[in-house]
Amino acid sequence: MNKAKSMASLINRRLILVTIISALLASILSAMYTLVEFNFSIKPEILKKANAISQVIHDDVELAIVSGVPLDRIRGMDEYLSETLEKYPELTFIAVVSQEDRPLYSAGELLNLNNSRDMADGTGTVSYFGASLFDRLELIKEELSGIIPAFSDEAQSKDIYEMDINYQDERAGGVFVGLNSNFIRSQLADMFFDIAIVLVAVLLVCFEVVMVVVMFYVSGPLEESEKILKRQVDGDFSVKESVSSRGSIGHFVDKLNEESKDLQGKFSKTFSRVSGNQTDDVKTEEVKTRLQKIAERFNLQTKLSMKNGDILDARIPLFVFSLAEELQKSFMPLFVAEFYEPNHWISRDVMLGLPISVFMLVIAVSTPFSAKWVDKWGQKPLFLLGLIPAIAGYLGCAFAQDSMDIVISRGITAFGYALITISCQSYIAAVVSSENRAKGMAIFVGVLMTATMCGTALGAIIADRIGYQPVFLISAVLATFSGLLAWRMFSGSVNVQPKKVAANGQSGLWLLAKNVKFVSIVICCAIPAKIVLTGFLYFMVPLYLVSLEASQSEIGRIMMIYSLIIIPLSPIASGIADKTKKMKELVVLGTLLSGGILISLYGEASFYKVLLAVALMGVAHSILKAPLIASALEAAEDTPEVGRTTVLGILRTSERIGSVLGPVIVAALLAFYDFGETMMIIGIGIVLAGIMMLLFLRKSEDTDTAEEVTQ
């Protein structure tokens, strides 16, 4: 058995490693090719734009000259050039010069510093279009060093495009447009970071896909075949009623099982023939007894049950569905803004945030009911049932006609989301043992974080290419695919708890309210953690960075650091929790760290301070997330009348309350304090909550010790 597991694990690791390395190398080569192509293509495109801008200015000035206005007396020309320059960040200056190459009108840094300088003898139009960047710089330096002294000092970092202004077949002046080479570098940097984000997302998706393929078609069937062979070598010919035949190894497993089944069939026929013998003599009874002993020795009448459930059964369906849900997170406010029409009932700002608020509210309300339905119907039926409202909501957004349609559709999707997530969380909690409970919950958290990171990045790119509404159609397709995976993979039996009847007819919520450990975990850790997540990361960080003049892409990259840190660190923290059995202590540590990180934001505003805070918050929540769920389940064991799924439902509902409170609290404080002061106040509150949690734990441990001594 151990050898089978070790061989399967070895094949698992090697196949996944080889596939990931191959995907990484292919992605890096693709990224390098994209960057090189972008670098070569952006320069000619900018030169084309410079030509177009110069042509527009040239035509306007030429029209004025033809109309009888002297070139040096065109009113409002400086304002006109300034307005044009503001529209195009890739330009550094625009200038109109006279026939003698003397600057007449200009906008931008270079010529404004040298308006009083006269241009020497002009040499006519210099053609830079189509030349390479370095060739153009050399032409500029050689040809304009004696014409415009300012150019000789600074042209090495600029590209300059010139177009003559002609009147009556003679050169009357010219238009100079300066191109900023820093713009090209910034565009290349943005492209590099975008490709890097997509690269990480693709690798994470690749890892999930490779894992399910390997487990389903290679290591899983291989492990099953080794089990059957080991049983048969030991003289055990037990038979499984059904074996899933996946791939070549799966067919081999099916063949081994069929051979045992044929052997049992032949034995059954022989035994039936002997038993059907009407002669009741001693010899017949002796044969029957010997056959019965043979059957017991070689298990020729033993039927094995279906395989027990596994964490991977829920991992892939949950990942695919979560990926479908996260695709729209990056553009939802912008999507709502496209459909918003002014009215007297709801302001624009409220409407932009309404779909998110309704989504969270519906989840909070429906989660307790979802927990009860899991106990009643099971995880697999509830997952498939939840797909109906989820897909209906995606289609509603895809074909929405106004902003209220989006709000209603998001509420419908939220109901399906609550059903699906609680069914997966219940499935994972059912198949893991108490010894590796934190590890199982870390997988749940890791899947959600991976889907969040991948969905946010890929959804933004897809929406930028094909629009917002088609993304929801893609979400509907992915959700349908997750249903097919769940229908196929939720095949094993799980440790379903028998339905528990609360004492004296009391509800599970009321019974858990008397559990001091559980209540302290929920109030002091679970709710504050969600307040930090939604209030700090999702609400304050974008506003804070906008105040620091960060771009939208920079904001997105910084927010993704949170998920990128949690994905690798959460399994490590959960492993430590399972080994040390210090889950509650880790929860307290994560809570205290979260508060301390927020307090550190007090003081001078800084871009890098926010970046560091987001990264450290990822570390703190890596320590906190998985042990939080595990410690809540452990604390709820003191209330045996309440089932596991009910506990998870109450915990999830409490967390949603924190999700709703986070933005509200931060927004209320920002009305009176700045960002740093607001975060300091919330951070102090989080630290106090962690200290209260520690005191509750100490008190409960002292009580338990006293009870043990009394007994």
Side-chain angles (χ1 to χ4, degrees), residues 374-410:
V374 169
D375 288 334
K376 184 177 180 180
W377 296 325
Q379 291 91 352
K380 181 176 179 178
L382 197 67
F383 189 105
L384 299 176
L385 181 65
L387 289 174
I388 298 175
I391 294 174
Y394 294 139
L395 295 177
C397 288
F399 299 103
Q401 300 297 319
D402 55 45
S403 55
M404 192 53 65
D405 289 346
I406 300 174
V407 174
I408 296 172
S409 298
R410 292 304 295 157

Side-chain angles (χ1 to χ4, degrees), residues 593-652:
L593 285 177
S594 300
I597 292 166
L598 295 182
I599 295 174
S600 68
L601 289 172
Y602 178 75
E604 183 180 357
S606 170
F607 179 89
Y608 295 103
K609 185 187 289 187
V610 177
L611 172 63
L612 181 61
V614 172
L616 292 177
M617 193 63 71
V619 175
H621 281 192
S622 298
I623 299 173
L624 171 69
K625 280 182 175 292
L628 174 63
I629 303 174
S631 60
L633 291 171
E634 181 181 329
E637 291 175 356
D638 293 340
T639 311
E641 300 87 354
V642 183
R644 181 195 306 114
T645 309
T646 302
V647 174
L648 291 174
I650 294 173
L651 178 63
R652 295 284 290 175

Side-chain angles (χ1 to χ4, degrees), residues 61 64-75 104-105:
V61 173
I65 296 175
V66 172
S67 300
V69 180
L71 179 61
D72 57 352
R73 294 185 182 181
I74 303 177
R75 293 184 178 180
L104 299 176
Y105 316 100

Side-chain angles (χ1 to χ4, degrees), residues 302-317:
T302 304
K303 305 291 183 183
L304 298 177
S305 61
M306 295 292 292
K307 73 178 182 70
N308 294 325
D310 189 84
I311 295 176
L312 287 175
D313 295 345
R315 177 171 185 162
I316 304 303

Side-chain angles (χ1 to χ4, degrees), residues 499-520:
K499 187 175 181 181
K500 299 182 179 181
V501 180
N504 301 322
Q506 295 175 325
S507 66
L509 178 61
W510 177 253
L511 289 171
L512 286 175
K514 300 177 183 179
N515 188 326
V516 177
K517 293 181 182 179
F518 183 82
V519 172
S520 62

Side-chain angles (χ1 to χ4, degrees), residues 61 205 254 285 320 369 429 437 441 566 570 574 599 603 617:
V61 173
V205 173
D254 187 58
E285 289 299 324
V320 175
F369 300 100
R437 183 178 287 158
M441 291 302 105
I566 285 183
S570 185
S574 64
I599 295 174
M617 193 63 71

